């Protein structure tokens, strides 16, 4: 099944441990021009948003589920998610 919409809003409607597989390619926050999304958030806001997304992914994934992430970067960008 496919869901189209805001990922955080959509995942909040799903039951715990109800999904086998999540495949995602989140925005890279590299100031890429999209039609509706501003791809240039302050670093801490972007990392906090990613953290929220992955917390929801963990909640909805079955214990033996899989998460596939396509993340772009540039050589001078180091992504470190906050732990709290």
């Amino acid at each position: 099944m496919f869901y189209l919409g805001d990922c955080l809003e959509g995942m909040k409607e799903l039951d715990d441990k109800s999904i086998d597989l999540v495949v995602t390619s989140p925005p890279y926050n590299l100031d890429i021009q999209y039609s509706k999304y501003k791809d240039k958030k302050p670093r801490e806001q972007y990392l906090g948003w990613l953290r929220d997304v992955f917390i929801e992914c963990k909640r909805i994934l079955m214990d033996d589920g899989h998460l596939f992430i396509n993340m772009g970067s540039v050589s001078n960008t180091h992504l470190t998610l906050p732990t709290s």
Side-chain angles (χ1 to χ4, degrees), residues 4-23:
L4 176 62
D6 180 278
C7 66
L8 278 174
E9 297 303 315
M11 286 190 290
K12 288 177 183 178
E13 296 180 15
L14 300 174
D15 293 333
D16 292 358
K17 299 182 185 213
S18 62
I19 301 296
D20 293 307
L21 171 67
V22 174
V23 178

Side-chain angles (χ1 to χ4, degrees), residues 6-60:
D6 180 278
C7 66
L8 278 174
E9 297 303 315
M11 286 190 290
K12 288 177 183 178
E13 296 180 15
L14 300 174
D15 293 333
D16 292 358
K17 299 182 185 213
S18 62
I19 301 296
D20 293 307
L21 171 67
V22 174
V23 178
T24 184
S25 178
Y28 302 156
N29 209 43
L30 298 174
D31 204 16
I32 295 171
Q33 296 298 317
Y34 294 101
S35 61
K36 296 181 181 181
Y37 176 78
K38 182 164 173 36
D39 190 47
K40 189 64 176 168
K41 295 181 189 268
R43 184 177 180 82
E44 291 305 314
Q45 181 182 356
Y46 174 70
L47 293 177
W49 174 78
L50 279 180
R51 181 178 184 273
D52 293 345
V53 167
F54 294 134
I55 285 171
E56 280 300 301
C57 287
K58 183 176 191 250
R59 182 188 66 76
I60 65 171

Side-chain angles (χ1 to χ4, degrees), residues 46 66-67 76:
Y46 174 70
H66 293 84
L67 172 64
N76 63 353

